[in-house]
Protein backbone atom coordinates (compact mmCIF):
# COMPACT_ATOMS: atom_id res chain seq x y z
CA UNK A 1 0.00 0.00 0.00
CA UNK A 2 1.19 3.53 -0.79
CA UNK A 3 2.68 5.27 2.27
CA UNK A 4 0.37 7.72 4.02
CA UNK A 5 1.54 11.22 3.14
CA UNK A 6 2.36 13.75 5.83
CA UNK A 7 3.00 17.48 5.52
CA UNK A 8 4.90 19.07 8.40
CA UNK A 9 4.37 22.73 9.28
CA UNK A 10 7.40 23.96 11.23
CA UNK A 11 10.80 22.27 11.19
CA UNK A 12 11.99 23.34 14.63
CA UNK A 13 12.99 21.18 17.59
CA UNK A 14 9.92 18.93 17.52
CA UNK A 15 9.67 18.90 13.71
CA UNK A 16 13.23 17.69 13.27
CA UNK A 17 12.76 15.14 16.09
CA UNK A 18 9.65 13.81 14.34
CA UNK A 19 11.52 13.57 11.08
CA UNK A 20 14.48 11.76 12.65
CA UNK A 21 12.48 9.27 14.72
CA UNK A 22 10.21 8.43 11.77
CA UNK A 23 13.28 7.73 9.64
CA UNK A 24 15.17 5.80 12.28
CA UNK A 25 12.24 3.57 13.29
CA UNK A 26 10.44 3.43 9.95
CA UNK A 27 10.33 -0.37 9.71
CA UNK A 28 9.09 -0.80 13.28
CA UNK A 29 6.49 1.94 12.82
CA UNK A 30 5.29 0.46 9.53
CA UNK A 31 4.82 -2.94 11.18
CA UNK A 32 2.69 -1.25 13.82
CA UNK A 33 0.71 1.10 11.58
CA UNK A 34 0.16 -1.43 8.80
CA UNK A 35 1.43 1.09 6.29
CA UNK A 36 4.49 3.30 5.85
CA UNK A 37 4.28 6.90 7.07
CA UNK A 38 6.18 9.38 4.94
CA UNK A 39 6.84 13.06 5.45
CA UNK A 40 6.76 14.22 1.86
CA UNK A 41 6.43 17.98 2.38
CA UNK A 42 7.74 20.42 4.97
CA UNK A 43 6.93 24.11 5.36
CA UNK A 44 9.37 26.38 7.13
CA UNK A 45 10.33 30.02 6.70
CA UNK A 46 13.98 28.95 6.67
CA UNK A 47 13.76 26.73 3.58
CA UNK A 48 17.51 26.15 3.25
CA UNK A 49 17.89 24.99 6.85
CA UNK A 50 14.83 22.74 6.67
CA UNK A 51 15.98 21.27 3.35
CA UNK A 52 19.36 20.49 4.87
CA UNK A 53 17.65 18.66 7.75
CA UNK A 54 15.27 16.63 5.56
CA UNK A 55 17.34 15.79 2.52
CA UNK A 56 16.50 16.29 -1.13
CA UNK A 57 13.65 13.75 -1.37
CA UNK A 58 11.37 16.00 0.73
CA UNK A 59 9.76 19.03 -0.86
CA UNK A 60 10.40 22.04 1.38
CA UNK A 61 8.34 25.20 0.90
CA UNK A 62 8.07 28.48 2.76
CA UNK A 63 4.29 28.75 2.34
CA UNK A 64 2.37 26.26 4.50
CA UNK A 65 -0.70 26.72 2.31
CA UNK A 66 1.08 24.84 -0.49
CA UNK A 67 0.95 21.77 1.73
CA UNK A 68 -2.73 22.26 2.59
CA UNK A 69 -3.56 22.69 -1.10
CA UNK A 70 -1.76 19.48 -2.09
CA UNK A 71 -4.39 16.74 -2.63
CA UNK A 72 -1.76 14.03 -2.01
CA UNK A 73 -1.21 15.07 1.61
CA UNK A 74 -3.34 13.02 4.04
CA UNK A 75 -2.17 14.41 7.39
CA UNK A 76 -0.97 17.90 8.34
CA UNK A 77 1.27 18.16 11.41
CA UNK A 78 1.10 21.64 12.93
CA UNK A 79 4.22 22.47 14.96
CA UNK A 80 4.16 26.26 14.62
CA UNK A 81 2.54 27.07 17.98
CA UNK A 82 0.47 30.00 19.22
CA UNK A 83 -3.04 31.01 18.23
CA UNK A 84 -2.30 33.25 15.24
CA UNK A 85 -1.37 31.71 11.92
CA UNK A 86 -1.47 28.24 13.47
CA UNK A 87 -5.22 28.54 14.05
CA UNK A 88 -5.90 29.66 10.49
CA UNK A 89 -3.78 26.84 9.06
CA UNK A 90 -5.36 24.14 11.23
CA UNK A 91 -8.87 25.26 10.25
CA UNK A 92 -7.87 25.44 6.57
CA UNK A 93 -6.32 21.96 6.73
CA UNK A 94 -9.54 20.60 8.25
CA UNK A 95 -11.63 22.37 5.60
CA UNK A 96 -9.41 20.74 2.96
CA UNK A 97 -10.24 17.31 4.46
CA UNK A 98 -6.83 16.68 6.04
CA UNK A 99 -6.37 15.01 9.39
CA UNK A 100 -4.39 17.19 11.79
CA UNK A 101 -1.77 16.37 14.42
CA UNK A 102 -0.76 19.23 16.66
CA UNK A 103 1.38 19.84 19.74
CA UNK A 104 -0.32 23.21 20.22
CA UNK A 105 -1.87 23.23 23.70
CA UNK A 106 -2.54 26.98 23.65
CA UNK A 107 -4.53 26.73 20.43
CA UNK A 108 -6.67 23.80 21.59
CA UNK A 109 -7.22 25.07 25.14
CA UNK A 110 -8.50 28.40 23.84
CA UNK A 111 -10.07 27.52 20.45
CA UNK A 112 -10.60 23.77 20.86
CA UNK A 113 -14.39 23.91 20.73
CA UNK A 114 -14.34 25.56 17.30
CA UNK A 115 -11.56 23.31 15.99
CA UNK A 116 -13.08 20.01 17.17
CA UNK A 117 -16.52 21.01 15.83
CA UNK A 118 -14.99 21.79 12.42
CA UNK A 119 -13.14 18.45 12.43
CA UNK A 120 -16.27 16.56 13.46
CA UNK A 121 -18.31 18.19 10.69
CA UNK A 122 -15.66 17.29 8.13
CA UNK A 123 -15.10 13.75 9.44
CA UNK A 124 -11.38 14.24 10.08
CA UNK A 125 -9.27 13.62 13.18
CA UNK A 126 -7.42 16.21 15.25
CA UNK A 127 -4.88 14.42 17.43
CA UNK A 128 -2.90 16.17 20.16
CA UNK A 129 -0.98 13.69 22.30
CA UNK A 130 2.08 15.97 22.18
CA UNK A 131 0.12 18.91 23.60
CA UNK A 132 0.11 17.63 27.18
CA UNK A 133 3.18 16.38 29.04
CA UNK A 134 5.27 15.82 25.89
CA UNK A 135 6.26 12.18 25.60
CA UNK A 136 3.94 10.85 28.33
CA UNK A 137 0.90 9.21 26.66
CA UNK A 138 -1.53 10.88 29.05
CA UNK A 139 -4.11 11.78 26.39
CA UNK A 140 -4.25 8.14 25.34
CA UNK A 141 -4.56 7.08 28.97
CA UNK A 142 -7.42 9.48 29.69
CA UNK A 143 -9.24 8.90 26.41
CA UNK A 144 -8.81 5.15 26.06
CA UNK A 145 -6.90 3.33 28.78
CA UNK A 146 -9.09 4.68 31.59
CA UNK A 147 -12.33 4.77 29.62
CA UNK A 148 -14.10 2.42 32.07
CA UNK A 149 -13.67 4.86 34.92
CA UNK A 150 -15.57 7.73 36.40
CA UNK A 151 -12.55 9.96 36.84
CA UNK A 152 -12.47 11.84 40.16
CA UNK A 153 -9.42 14.03 39.70
CA UNK A 154 -6.27 14.64 37.71
CA UNK A 155 -3.25 16.40 39.21
CA UNK A 156 0.01 16.88 37.41
CA UNK A 157 3.41 18.47 37.20
CA UNK A 158 2.90 19.50 33.61
CA UNK A 159 5.48 22.24 33.17
CA UNK A 160 9.11 21.18 33.19
CA UNK A 161 10.53 24.70 33.36
CA UNK A 162 8.84 25.51 36.65
CA UNK A 163 9.57 22.09 38.10
CA UNK A 164 13.24 22.59 37.28
CA UNK A 165 13.18 26.00 38.99
CA UNK A 166 11.41 24.65 42.10
CA UNK A 167 13.84 21.72 42.33
CA UNK A 168 16.82 24.07 42.16
CA UNK A 169 15.30 26.44 44.72
CA UNK A 170 14.83 23.55 47.14
CA UNK A 171 18.14 21.81 46.59
CA UNK A 172 20.28 24.95 46.64
CA UNK A 173 18.19 27.12 48.96
CA UNK A 174 18.12 29.89 46.34
CA UNK A 175 15.42 32.45 45.58
CA UNK A 176 13.24 32.38 42.48
CA UNK A 177 14.96 35.24 40.58
CA UNK A 178 18.42 33.72 40.95
CA UNK A 179 17.29 30.28 39.75
CA UNK A 180 15.29 31.72 36.86
CA UNK A 181 18.41 33.45 35.51
CA UNK A 182 20.36 30.19 35.84
CA UNK A 183 17.55 28.26 34.12
CA UNK A 184 17.62 30.75 31.23
CA UNK A 185 21.40 30.45 30.97
CA UNK A 186 21.12 26.65 30.78
CA UNK A 187 18.29 26.78 28.22
CA UNK A 188 15.66 25.33 30.59
CA UNK A 189 13.68 28.58 30.53
CA UNK A 190 12.88 30.75 27.53
CA UNK A 191 14.14 34.34 27.18
CA UNK A 192 10.51 35.36 27.80
CA UNK A 193 9.50 32.77 30.39
CA UNK A 194 6.10 34.34 31.20
CA UNK A 195 3.85 31.50 29.98
CA UNK A 196 5.81 28.95 31.99
CA UNK A 197 6.47 30.80 35.26
CA UNK A 198 3.01 32.39 35.46
CA UNK A 199 1.33 28.98 35.08
CA UNK A 200 -0.32 29.70 31.72
CA UNK A 201 1.30 26.77 29.89
CA UNK A 202 0.26 24.40 32.68
CA UNK A 203 -3.28 25.83 32.59
CA UNK A 204 -3.54 25.14 28.85
CA UNK A 205 -2.64 21.51 29.55
CA UNK A 206 -4.91 21.23 32.61
CA UNK A 207 -7.78 22.63 30.53
CA UNK A 208 -7.33 19.88 27.94
CA UNK A 209 -7.17 17.22 30.64
CA UNK A 210 -10.35 18.55 32.30
CA UNK A 211 -12.24 18.15 29.03
CA UNK A 212 -10.93 14.60 28.52
CA UNK A 213 -11.54 13.55 32.12
CA UNK A 214 -15.05 14.92 32.57
CA UNK A 215 -16.53 15.27 29.08
CA UNK A 216 -16.85 19.06 29.30
CA UNK A 217 -15.88 21.61 26.65
CA UNK A 218 -12.41 23.18 26.87
CA UNK A 219 -12.78 26.30 29.03
CA UNK A 220 -9.38 27.89 29.49
CA UNK A 221 -11.03 31.22 30.37
CA UNK A 222 -12.48 29.65 33.56
CA UNK A 223 -9.17 28.23 34.80
CA UNK A 224 -7.67 29.72 37.97
CA UNK A 225 -3.99 30.42 37.29
CA UNK A 226 -1.22 31.31 39.73
CA UNK A 227 2.46 30.88 38.88
CA UNK A 228 5.59 30.44 40.99
CA UNK A 229 7.04 33.96 40.83
CA UNK A 230 6.09 34.87 44.39
CA UNK A 231 7.46 31.75 46.05
CA UNK A 232 10.29 32.33 48.49
CA UNK A 233 13.07 29.98 49.49
CA UNK A 234 11.80 30.29 53.09
CA UNK A 235 8.43 28.73 52.18
CA UNK A 236 10.13 25.81 50.43
CA UNK A 237 12.27 25.30 53.57
CA UNK A 238 9.36 25.51 56.01
CA UNK A 239 7.28 23.15 53.84
CA UNK A 240 10.15 20.66 53.92
CA UNK A 241 10.30 20.85 57.72
CA UNK A 242 6.58 20.03 57.83
CA UNK A 243 6.98 17.03 55.49
CA UNK A 244 5.94 18.65 52.19
CA UNK A 245 7.46 19.70 48.85
CA UNK A 246 6.10 22.63 46.87
CA UNK A 247 5.14 21.78 43.29
CA UNK A 248 3.31 23.72 40.60
CA UNK A 249 0.29 21.47 40.07
CA UNK A 250 -2.36 21.55 37.38
CA UNK A 251 -5.45 20.17 39.07
CA UNK A 252 -8.89 19.32 37.77
CA UNK A 253 -11.36 17.66 40.10
CA UNK A 254 -14.99 16.57 40.06
CA UNK A 255 -17.00 17.78 43.06
CA UNK A 256 -20.72 17.77 43.85
CA UNK A 257 -20.82 21.50 43.13
CA UNK A 258 -18.96 21.39 39.80
CA UNK A 259 -15.51 21.01 38.29
CA UNK A 260 -12.37 22.52 39.77
CA UNK A 261 -9.80 23.69 37.23
CA UNK A 262 -6.76 25.34 38.75
CA UNK A 263 -3.01 25.79 38.49
CA UNK A 264 -1.03 27.02 41.49
CA UNK A 265 1.89 26.11 43.73
CA UNK A 266 0.83 23.34 46.10
CA UNK A 267 2.31 21.64 49.13
CA UNK A 268 2.43 17.90 48.41
CA UNK A 269 3.36 15.32 51.09
CA UNK A 270 6.99 14.28 50.56
CA UNK A 271 6.06 10.60 50.66
CA UNK A 272 3.92 10.87 47.50
CA UNK A 273 5.84 9.70 44.41
CA UNK A 274 4.84 12.86 42.56
CA UNK A 275 6.51 15.02 45.22
CA UNK A 276 9.80 13.39 44.21
CA UNK A 277 9.54 14.26 40.52
CA UNK A 278 12.49 16.60 40.12
CA UNK A 279 14.15 18.72 37.46
CA UNK A 280 12.39 19.21 34.13
CA UNK A 281 10.45 15.93 34.37
CA UNK A 282 6.64 15.77 34.21
CA UNK A 283 4.20 13.49 36.01
CA UNK A 284 0.42 13.19 36.06
CA UNK A 285 -1.75 11.42 38.63
CA UNK A 286 -5.22 10.27 37.64
CA UNK A 287 -7.72 8.95 40.15
CA UNK A 288 -10.48 6.79 38.70
CA UNK A 289 -13.23 5.02 40.63
CA UNK A 290 -12.35 1.57 39.27
CA UNK A 291 -8.59 1.75 38.80
CA UNK A 292 -7.74 3.82 41.88
CA UNK A 293 -4.77 6.18 41.66
CA UNK A 294 -2.44 5.91 38.67
CA UNK A 295 0.75 7.83 37.93
CA UNK A 296 2.38 8.63 34.58
CA UNK A 297 5.95 9.95 34.50
CA UNK A 298 8.39 11.05 31.82
CA UNK A 299 9.85 13.86 29.78
CA UNK A 300 7.36 16.66 29.15
CA UNK A 301 9.34 18.41 26.42
CA UNK A 302 12.28 17.99 24.10
CA UNK A 303 12.79 16.98 20.51
CA UNK A 304 12.39 13.21 20.50
CA UNK A 305 10.12 12.80 23.56
CA UNK A 306 7.61 15.15 21.93
CA UNK A 307 8.19 13.49 18.55
CA UNK A 308 7.28 10.19 20.21
CA UNK A 309 3.82 11.62 20.92
CA UNK A 310 3.44 13.20 17.48
CA UNK A 311 4.28 9.90 15.77
CA UNK A 312 1.90 7.95 18.03
CA UNK A 313 -0.84 10.22 16.67
CA UNK A 314 0.35 9.64 13.10
CA UNK A 315 0.14 5.88 13.66
CA UNK A 316 -3.33 6.19 15.20
CA UNK A 317 -4.57 8.17 12.23
CA UNK A 318 -2.96 5.77 9.77
CA UNK A 319 -4.77 2.89 11.46
CA UNK A 320 -8.12 4.65 11.76
CA UNK A 321 -8.54 6.99 8.84
CA UNK A 322 -10.43 4.46 6.73
CA UNK A 323 -12.82 3.72 9.63
CA UNK A 324 -16.30 5.21 9.79
CA UNK A 325 -15.73 8.65 11.42
CA UNK A 326 -18.54 8.03 13.93
CA UNK A 327 -16.83 4.87 15.18
CA UNK A 328 -13.47 6.50 15.89
CA UNK A 329 -12.29 7.49 19.35
CA UNK A 330 -13.89 10.92 20.01
CA UNK A 331 -11.49 13.89 20.08
CA UNK A 332 -12.30 14.73 23.69
CA UNK A 333 -12.96 11.15 24.86
CA UNK A 334 -16.75 11.61 25.12
CA UNK A 335 -19.11 11.64 22.12
CA UNK A 336 -19.71 15.23 20.99
CA UNK A 337 -23.47 14.90 21.55
CA UNK A 338 -22.92 13.59 25.08
CA UNK A 339 -20.87 16.44 26.53
CA UNK A 340 -21.74 17.57 30.04
CA UNK A 341 -22.48 21.14 31.05
CA UNK A 342 -21.04 20.71 34.55
CA UNK A 343 -19.87 24.17 35.55
CA UNK A 344 -16.30 25.10 36.38
CA UNK A 345 -16.22 26.44 39.93
CA UNK A 346 -14.91 29.92 40.76
CA UNK A 347 -11.79 29.69 42.94
CA UNK A 348 -13.70 31.10 45.94
CA UNK A 349 -15.84 27.91 45.96
CA UNK A 350 -12.90 25.49 45.84
CA UNK A 351 -12.30 23.44 48.98
CA UNK A 352 -8.69 22.73 49.90
CA UNK A 353 -6.26 23.11 52.79
CA UNK A 354 -3.63 25.80 53.30
CA UNK A 355 -0.11 26.67 54.35
CA UNK A 356 0.00 30.17 55.83
CA UNK A 357 3.19 32.04 56.70
CA UNK A 358 2.77 35.12 58.83
CA UNK A 359 5.50 37.53 59.84
CA UNK A 360 4.37 38.58 63.30
CA UNK A 361 5.49 40.54 66.34
CA UNK A 362 6.84 38.00 68.82
CA UNK A 363 4.68 38.98 71.80
CA UNK A 364 2.08 37.45 74.09
CA UNK A 365 -1.32 36.72 72.61
CA UNK A 366 -0.38 36.95 68.91
CA UNK A 367 -0.71 33.24 68.21
CA UNK A 368 -3.91 33.05 70.28
CA UNK A 369 -5.42 35.89 68.24
CA UNK A 370 -4.55 34.17 64.95
CA UNK A 371 -5.87 30.78 65.98
CA UNK A 372 -8.94 32.49 67.46
CA UNK A 373 -9.81 34.01 64.08
CA UNK A 374 -9.49 30.57 62.47
CA UNK A 375 -11.64 29.00 65.19
CA UNK A 376 -14.37 31.66 64.78
CA UNK A 377 -14.52 30.80 61.06
CA UNK A 378 -14.62 27.08 61.92
CA UNK A 379 -11.33 26.46 60.11
CA UNK A 380 -9.47 23.61 61.76
CA UNK A 381 -5.69 23.74 62.27
CA UNK A 382 -3.55 20.79 61.18
CA UNK A 383 -0.13 21.99 62.41
CA UNK A 384 1.65 25.10 63.70
CA UNK A 385 5.35 25.89 63.43
CA UNK A 386 6.91 28.89 65.08
CA UNK A 387 10.50 29.88 64.44
CA UNK A 388 12.66 31.57 67.01
CA UNK A 389 12.56 35.35 66.94
CA UNK A 390 15.15 36.24 64.35
CA UNK A 391 14.81 39.87 63.49
CA UNK A 392 14.43 43.13 65.30
CA UNK A 393 12.24 45.65 63.54
CA UNK A 394 12.89 49.38 63.45
CA UNK A 395 10.40 49.83 66.30
CA UNK A 396 12.54 47.50 68.40
CA UNK A 397 10.18 44.56 68.87
CA UNK A 398 11.15 41.01 67.91
CA UNK A 399 9.57 39.44 64.86
CA UNK A 400 9.14 35.83 63.93
CA UNK A 401 7.55 33.58 61.33
CA UNK A 402 4.47 31.61 62.30
CA UNK A 403 3.46 28.85 59.91
CA UNK A 404 -0.02 27.39 60.12
CA UNK A 405 -1.30 24.38 58.18
CA UNK A 406 -5.09 24.17 58.03
CA UNK A 407 -7.48 21.34 57.30
CA UNK A 408 -9.85 21.64 54.34
CA UNK A 409 -11.95 24.76 54.07
CA UNK A 410 -13.58 26.76 51.33
CA UNK A 411 -11.27 29.33 49.72
CA UNK A 412 -13.72 32.23 50.04
CA UNK A 413 -13.88 31.77 53.82
CA UNK A 414 -10.10 31.38 54.06
CA UNK A 415 -9.65 34.67 52.22
CA UNK A 416 -12.01 36.47 54.62
CA UNK A 417 -10.00 35.25 57.62
CA UNK A 418 -6.74 36.19 55.91
CA UNK A 419 -8.04 39.74 55.43
CA UNK A 420 -8.82 39.91 59.17
CA UNK A 421 -5.37 38.54 60.06
CA UNK A 422 -3.65 40.94 57.70
CA UNK A 423 -5.37 43.89 59.40
CA UNK A 424 -3.90 42.99 62.83
CA UNK A 425 -1.20 45.44 63.95
CA UNK A 426 0.94 42.48 65.03
CA UNK A 427 1.05 41.01 61.50
CA UNK A 428 4.07 42.79 60.05
CA UNK A 429 4.16 41.75 56.36
CA UNK A 430 1.89 40.41 53.62
CA UNK A 431 0.74 36.90 54.53
CA UNK A 432 1.87 34.05 52.28
CA UNK A 433 -0.87 31.56 51.37
CA UNK A 434 -0.04 28.33 49.51
CA UNK A 435 -2.62 25.61 48.93
CA UNK A 436 -1.96 22.08 50.14
CA UNK A 437 -2.99 18.89 48.34
CA UNK A 438 -2.78 15.55 50.10
CA UNK A 439 -3.44 13.64 46.81
CA UNK A 440 -4.69 10.54 48.59
N1 LIG B 1 7.50 24.94 28.17
C1 LIG B 1 6.97 23.67 28.53
C2 LIG B 1 7.62 23.17 29.80
C3 LIG B 1 7.17 22.61 27.48
O1 LIG B 1 8.47 23.84 30.37
O2 LIG B 1 7.23 22.11 30.25
C4 LIG B 1 6.19 22.71 26.38
O3 LIG B 1 4.89 22.72 26.85
Amino acid sequence: MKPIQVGLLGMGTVGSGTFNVLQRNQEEIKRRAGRAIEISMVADLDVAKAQALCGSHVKVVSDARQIIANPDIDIVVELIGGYGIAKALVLEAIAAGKHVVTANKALLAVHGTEIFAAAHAKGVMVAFEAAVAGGIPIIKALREGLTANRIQWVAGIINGTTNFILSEMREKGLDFDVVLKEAQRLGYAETDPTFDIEGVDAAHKATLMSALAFGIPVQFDKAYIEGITKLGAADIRYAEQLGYRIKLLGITKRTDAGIELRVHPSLVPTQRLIANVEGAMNAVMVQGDAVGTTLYYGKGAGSEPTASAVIADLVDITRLHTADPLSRVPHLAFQPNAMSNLKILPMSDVITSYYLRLRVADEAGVLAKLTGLLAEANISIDAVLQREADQVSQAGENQTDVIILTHDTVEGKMNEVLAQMQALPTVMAPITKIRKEELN
Side-chain angles (χ1 to χ4, degrees):
M1 202 190 297
K2 174 176 161 287
I4 199 155
Q5 300 295 307
V6 178
L8 203 68
L9 316 187
M11 194 61 173
T13 311
V14 179
S16 52
T18 302
F19 194 85
N20 292 339
V21 175
L22 257 182
Q23 272 212 325
R24 189 170 74 231
N25 297 342
Q26 57 182 309
E27 276 314 308
E28 198 91 347
I29 290 168
K30 183 178 170 188
R31 284 170 58 212
R32 289 188 166 128
R35 187 174 169 187
I37 298 173
E38 186 176 295
I39 296 177
S40 49
M41 283 187 86
V42 166
D44 198 284
L45 292 177
D46 192 339
V47 173
K49 187 170 146 222
Q51 193 76 69
L53 286 167
C54 312
S56 55
H57 59 288
V58 177
K59 185 170 166 58
V60 179
V61 294
S62 60
D63 179 7
R65 291 190 165 95
Q66 274 184 259
I67 293 184
I68 293 169
N70 183 343
D72 293 335
I73 296 291
D74 303 298
I75 309 173
V76 169
V77 179
E78 183 275 306
L79 299 172
I80 297 167
Y83 344 87
I85 185 71
K87 181 187 175 200
L89 293 173
V90 163
L91 287 171
E92 285 171 34
I94 291 168
K98 316 287 187 203
H99 302 292
V100 171
V101 173
T102 178
N104 193 334
K105 60 230 86 177
L107 175 64
L108 294 181
V110 177
H111 299 291
T113 302
E114 180 185 353
I115 289 167
F116 294 127
H120 185 67
K122 198 73 190 176
V124 296
M125 289 174 265
V126 173
F128 53 99
E129 185 62 71
V132 181
I136 305 174
I138 188 64
I139 304 290
K140 193 86 168 172
L142 285 168
R143 198 159 52 182
E144 297 175 52
L146 300 174
T147 198
N149 288 265
R150 184 175 159 86
I151 291 174
Q152 311 291 357
W153 53 261
V154 180
I157 295 171
I158 43 181
N159 183 270
T161 305
T162 44
N163 202 52
F164 173 82
I165 293 173
L166 292 176
S167 296
E168 290 286 294
M169 286 174 73
R170 185 181 70 78
E171 279 168 23
K172 300 184 177 160
L174 297 171
D175 272 319
F176 171 78
D177 295 334
V178 179
V179 178
L180 174 62
K181 283 205 183 74
E182 181 66 359
Q184 285 174 312
R185 197 182 63 78
L186 293 171
Y188 281 106
E190 313 240 1
T191 318
D192 178 0
T194 314
F195 262 36
D196 290 321
I197 62 178
E198 296 294 358
V200 178
D201 174 74
H204 287 144
K205 296 165 182 167
T207 299
L208 292 172
M209 293 198 292
S210 73
L212 291 159
F214 306 122
I216 56 172
V218 287
Q219 295 166 77
F220 174 72
D221 56 331
K222 307 249 174 68
Y224 172 83
I225 310 173
E226 190 183 307
I228 63 166
T229 55
K230 296 191 185 73
L231 277 180
D235 295 311
I236 292 176
R237 210 170 49 244
Y238 290 142
E240 192 92 350
Q241 289 169 15
L242 289 156
Y244 294 87
R245 296 245 165 107
I246 298 182
K247 295 290 180 189
L248 183 72
L249 292 186
I251 298 171
T252 186
K253 190 184 280 186
R254 186 200 298 272
T255 76
D256 291 342
I259 302 292
E260 296 178 7
L261 175 55
R262 49 195 172 97
V263 170
H264 50 72
S266 307
L267 271 74
V268 179
T270 309
Q271 72 265 30
R272 300 271 175 274
L273 283 174
I274 199 168
N276 296 279
V277 171
E278 300 293 3
M281 301 303 281
N282 280 201
V284 182
M285 290 175 82
V286 184
Q287 161 92 45
D289 65 340
V291 72
T293 306
T294 56
L295 174 68
Y296 310 82
Y297 169 84
K299 289 186 180 155
S303 178
E304 293 205 355
T306 312
S308 165
V310 169
I311 295 168
D313 282 344
L314 290 174
V315 171
D316 261 0
I317 293 175
T318 305
R319 286 168 175 157
L320 292 172
H321 80 126
T322 51
D324 162 21
L326 295 178
S327 308
R328 293 181 192 140
V329 181
H331 294 119
L332 289 177
F334 290 73
Q335 298 296 340
N337 61 1
M339 298 294 269
S340 153
N341 60 3
L342 276 173
K343 71 168 180 171
I344 301 215
L345 295 173
M347 199 58 202
S348 56
D349 288 356
V350 164
I351 294 174
T352 186
S353 52
Y354 296 88
Y355 160 103
L356 309 174
R357 176 168 58 82
L358 301 99
R359 190 81 187 154
V360 296
D362 192 11
E363 60 188 49
V366 172
L367 192 56
K369 184 72 192 161
L370 296 173
T371 54
L373 287 173
L374 288 166
E376 276 167 33
N378 206 22
I379 298 174
S380 174
I381 294 171
D382 179 28
V384 177
L385 180 71
Q386 184 178 330
R387 310 311 300 163
E388 283 173 20
D390 59 359
Q391 188 184 327
V392 178
S393 76
Q394 283 175 340
E397 76 271 45
N398 284 337
Q399 292 184 12
T400 188
D401 279 341
V402 170
I403 290 95
I404 301 174
L405 298 185
T406 76
H407 286 299
D408 277 354
T409 186
V410 68
E411 174 118 353
K413 191 155 75 169
M414 184 77 254
N415 287 344
E416 281 171 24
V417 174
L418 282 174
Q420 292 166 9
M421 288 176 165
Q422 193 67 73
L424 295 172
T426 45
V427 173
M428 317 304 289
I431 300 169
T432 298
K433 172 187 84 179
I434 306 175
R435 297 167 191 90
K436 180 162 79 71
E437 301 294 330
E438 293 297 328
L439 301 179
N440 51 17

